[in-house]
């Protein structure tokens, strides 16, 4: 949708025709909602955007003539490697960007067998990408800088906000931060320091207010007279708290069962789609607010 909204021709590929039909229906529903809310990233009409998207069940037809290939198959290393082997055998131009969407698998584990591995990287978007513009670009040790530069430029053209990692690491940036939050949250709930509702409130009504607009170091920087002062005042305390963090463990057992029951009270399994729509409406409102504040800031700078 993002590429099509920017006027690029997009070809979707899957081995299952029903998947392609479902994708087209989902695309139309999501785009219609965005246009209704005025959040589309395009001067094109809805019909024009849809006209840029085609489908195929033939891999060679999909990738021939492409300048950028985004693979989004499930988080399965062997499956991804096999798909890329097939693409590598078909693609002949040497300047096509190879990008995989994965939450945690480092690109070297997916591309070491490819002839064109120098074009390969992770391009991992935040979810949902239409409302959450950050995308992580993670090169493998053998990825050429020119390929990363081309991917970054393309992401900027379609309205995303790319960040480029200097080197690969499990989970990249977003998933590592998310894993750290879940790790601490699990300890607080499983060891009965706080109930689930209070834990969720601490994030949604507390930290979330900062992190919707600022990163963690920027928060600390302005919490005192700069980061150095903040570190002098609170660094030892932060270290002491971190020493109380437990070793990682799977979230299972009685505590996980209770957590599931609590979550089911707020959002039953058969209402998850409704909850996603609830989330998207609020993310849309936040995106609108950020755009408004950015415009007001630009006007202030011009005065």
């Amino acid at each position: 949708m993002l590429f099509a909204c920017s006027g690029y021709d997009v070809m979707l590929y899957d081995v299952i025709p029903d998947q392609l039909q479902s994708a087209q229906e989902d695309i139309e529903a999501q785009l219609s909602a965005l246009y209704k809310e005025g959040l589309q990233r395009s001067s094109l009409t809805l019909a024009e955007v849809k006209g840029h998207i085609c489908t195929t069940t033939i891999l060679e037809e999909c990738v021939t003539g492409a300048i950028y290939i985004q693979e989004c198959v499930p988080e399965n290393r062997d499956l991804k490697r096999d798909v890329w082997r097939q693409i590598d055998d078909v693609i002949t131009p040497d300047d096509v960007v190879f990008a995989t969407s994965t939450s945690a698998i480092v690109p070297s584990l997916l591309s070491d067998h490819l002839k064109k591995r120098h074009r390969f990287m992770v391009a991992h978007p935040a979810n949902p990408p239409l409302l959450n513009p950050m995308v992580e670009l993670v090169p493998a040790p053998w990825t050429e800088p020119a390929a990363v530069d081309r991917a970054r430029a393309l992401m900027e053209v379609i309205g995303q906000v790319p960040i480029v990692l200097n080197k690969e690491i499990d989970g990249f940036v977003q998933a590592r931060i998310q894993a750290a939050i879940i790790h601490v949250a699990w300890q607080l709930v499983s060891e009965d320091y706080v109930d689930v509702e209070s834990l969720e409130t601490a994030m949604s009504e507390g930290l979330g207010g900062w992190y919707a607009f600022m990163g963690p170091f920027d928060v600390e920087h302005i919490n005192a007279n700069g980061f150095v002062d903040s570190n002098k005042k609170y660094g030892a305390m932060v270290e002491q708290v971190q020493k109380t963090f437990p070793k990682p463990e799977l979230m299972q057992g009685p505590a996980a069962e209770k957590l599931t029951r609590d979550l089911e009270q707020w959002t039953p399994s058969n209402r998850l789609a409704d909850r996603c729509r609830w989330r998207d409406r609020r993310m849309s409102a936040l995106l609108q607010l950020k755009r408004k504040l950015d415009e007001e800031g630009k006007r202030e700078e011009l005065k």
Side-chain angles (χ1 to χ4, degrees), residues 195-221:
D195 60 33
V196 178
E197 183 175 4
S198 297
L199 188 286
E200 297 288 305
T201 300
M203 178 60 72
S204 63
E205 303 297 329
L207 293 172
W210 292 339
Y211 295 155
F213 298 94
M214 307 171 69
F217 291 123
D218 196 12
V219 167
E220 298 306 316
H221 186 58

Side-chain angles (χ1 to χ4, degrees), residues 183 186-187 190-191 246-252:
H183 177 58
W186 170 249
Q187 179 198 20
S190 65
E191 296 181 12
K247 293 181 179 179
E249 64 178 23
L250 293 175
M251 292 181 286
Q252 57 188 9

Side-chain angles (χ1 to χ4, degrees), residues 13 59 69-89 98-114 120-125 172:
Y13 162 77
L59 180 61
I69 299 171
Q70 180 84 34
E71 164 268 307
C72 303
V73 302
E75 196 88 352
N76 180 300
R77 176 183 170 187
D78 291 339
L79 175 60
K80 286 180 177 290
R81 287 176 64 88
D82 185 57
V83 169
W84 280 111
R85 178 191 56 75
Q86 296 177 52
I87 295 172
D88 196 39
D89 288 341
F98 286 8
T100 179
S101 181
T102 170
S103 298
I105 306 174
V106 295
S108 61
L109 295 180
L110 299 174
S111 61
D112 60 299
H113 61 307
L114 302 179
F120 190 92
M121 71 195 72
V122 166
H124 177 233
F172 323 131

Side-chain angles (χ1 to χ4, degrees), residues 8 12 21 42 64 188 191 204 298:
Y8 288 99
L12 296 177
Q21 179 63 34
S42 181
T64 298
L188 292 171
E191 296 181 12
S204 63
K298 290 176 183 177

